[in-house]
């Protein structure tokens, strides 16, 4: 069964410092991996994805994520955090075509609240 | 920039009543989804829909739930007889192609359903 784990309920970081939000996954086939961000009273906004190719993917608002197949991880990173980055972050996974499910179902982690303090 | 929209933003209903949650996906998208998030829990997949039929549904999506694309623009989720445990935030999403192509889903702002 597919699953995603975000081991930290909350991450606190000072503005200007680098941030990391952790995500590990489990799928039977090759993974497609996604990060979404949710601001209060808003829907989930797409940040970035890993499909294939370069393990370091860059996304919106200066975020990037590193795919590590051996550690089954896809941690979200940003070199210099902003107060406006404070939000709820979700990691999600789906199997690529050829797995038992190819209908686009995303499996989400439980979310990590990022708090950036001035 | 095109967005997925959902109405209403908040729906309060009594147990046993029917509710219809409405979504307008992005206009050139072909795949549609409903997810829900019970307060404090994970976002959970409910159903995917393509070419006017359900592609996949989760075990949550029982006979009390149905989806429809009645007019080529709206995508609705109906809960026939609501239960207290249906209280959640319901998200609609759409994508331009199946995720097998690696395309991301775009989510609406959600409808908060409160069943009393």
């Amino acid at each position: 069964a597919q699953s995603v784990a975000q081991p930290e309920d909350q991450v606190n970081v000072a503005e200007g410092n680098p941030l990391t939000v952790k995500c590990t996954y489990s799928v039977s086939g090759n993974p497609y991996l996604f990060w979404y961000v949710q601001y209060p009273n808003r829907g989930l906004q797409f940040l970035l994805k890993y499909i294939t190719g370069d393990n370091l993917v860059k996304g919106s608002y200066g975020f990037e994520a590193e795919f590590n197949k051996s550690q089954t991880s896809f941690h979200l990173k940003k070199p210099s955090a902003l107060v406006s980055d404070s939000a709820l972050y979700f990691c999600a996974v789906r199997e690529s075509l050829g797995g038992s499910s190819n209908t686009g179902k995303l499996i989400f982690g439980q979310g990590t609240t990022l708090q950036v303090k001035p | 920039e095109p967005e997925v929209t959902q109405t209403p933003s908040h729906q309060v209903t009594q147990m046993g009543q029917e509710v219809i949650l409405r979504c307008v996906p992005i206009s050139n998208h072909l795949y549609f989804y409903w997810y829900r998030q019970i307060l404090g829990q994970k976002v959970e997949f409910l159903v995917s829909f393509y070419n006017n039929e359900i592609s996949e549904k989760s075990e949550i999506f029982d006979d009390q739930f149905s989806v429809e694309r009645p007019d080529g623009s709206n995508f609705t989720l109906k809960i026939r007889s609501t239960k207290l445990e249906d209280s959640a935030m319901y998200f609609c999403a759409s994508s331009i192609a199946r995720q097998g192509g690696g395309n991301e889903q775009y989510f609406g702002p959600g409808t908060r359903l409160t069943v009393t």
Side-chain angles (χ1 to χ4, degrees), chain A residues 4-5 32 34 36 38 41-46 49 51 88 90 94-97 101-110, chain B residues 3 31 33 35 37 40-45 48 55-56 58 89 91 98-110:
Chain A
V4 177
Y32 291 160
F34 303 83
Y36 285 85
Q38 185 180 30
N41 301 315
R42 301 285 298 275
L44 283 72
Q45 295 179 38
F46 169 73
K49 65 183 178 184
I51 304 301
L88 183 58
F90 290 97
R94 73 165 305 278
E95 288 180 328
S96 60
L97 274 177
S101 168
N102 62 359
T103 61
K105 173 177 75 176
L106 290 175
I107 304 298
F108 284 88
Q110 67 269 36
Chain B
E3 291 183 332
Y31 296 87
Y33 311 86
Y35 294 81
Q37 184 181 30
Q41 298 186 23
K42 292 184 180 186
V43 176
E44 303 173 288
F45 169 80
S48 59
S55 305
E56 184 180 2
S58 71
M89 180 73 88
F91 293 106
R98 278 189 172 180
Q99 287 291 347
N103 290 293
E104 59 274 18
Q105 295 174 19
Y106 290 88
F107 285 76

Side-chain angles (χ1 to χ4, degrees), chain A residues 56-96:
Chain A
L56 184 66
V57 293
K58 295 188 185 295
S60 306
Y61 313 120
F63 284 93
E64 57 190 30
E66 186 166 13
F67 171 65
N68 187 317
K69 188 172 184 178
S70 63
Q71 296 186 2
T72 61
S73 67
F74 189 57
H75 300 331
L76 181 70
K77 300 181 180 185
K78 187 173 182 181
S80 179
L82 299 172
V83 172
S84 57
D85 293 330
S86 299
L88 183 58
Y89 290 80
F90 290 97
C91 182
V93 68
R94 73 165 305 278
E95 288 180 328
S96 60

